[in-house]
Amino acid sequence: LAASQSCTVQAMAIGGRAFGPQFHAEVDDATPAEWLAEPSAAEALVLRPGADRPARLAAEVRERMGELNRAARQLYANFMALL
């Protein structure tokens, strides 16, 4: 159902009632710092797109917070409609 360059399976479904997301749709002001506080996450960001990627990620999340939250609300509404 969803994939990224880093992970070929970001979301999956088995039948029409079993769903498994491998990502966090919920994002708030504290989220980037929480993500980057995890050493393996920060290391992965630096290794792939460059040493300034953690700072760029945090800035991009802040800039796109409204869009991210609208997408999360829609994802949850769609999920609830399936139940």
Side-chain angles (χ1 to χ4, degrees):
L1 299 176
S4 72
Q5 289 179 319
S6 299
C7 183
T8 58
V9 180
Q10 286 285 327
M12 68 196 92
I14 299 173
R17 297 283 182 200
F19 298 90
Q22 181 58 35
F23 57 86
H24 291 276
E26 74 285 354
V27 180
D28 62 21
D29 291 332
T31 302
E34 292 168 357
W35 287 340
L36 296 172
E38 175 60 42
S40 62
E43 288 170 14
L45 281 171
V46 168
L47 289 175
R48 292 189 182 202
D52 67 334
R53 183 61 180 139
R56 288 187 296 138
L57 172 70
E60 185 176 347
V61 168
R62 281 190 303 275
E63 180 182 309
R64 299 179 69 184
M65 186 72 65
E67 178 184 346
L68 293 166
N69 286 320
R70 282 189 296 279
R73 282 191 293 278
Q74 186 64 59
L75 175 71
Y76 295 139
N78 291 349
F79 180 72
M80 295 304 291
L82 294 171
L83 300 179

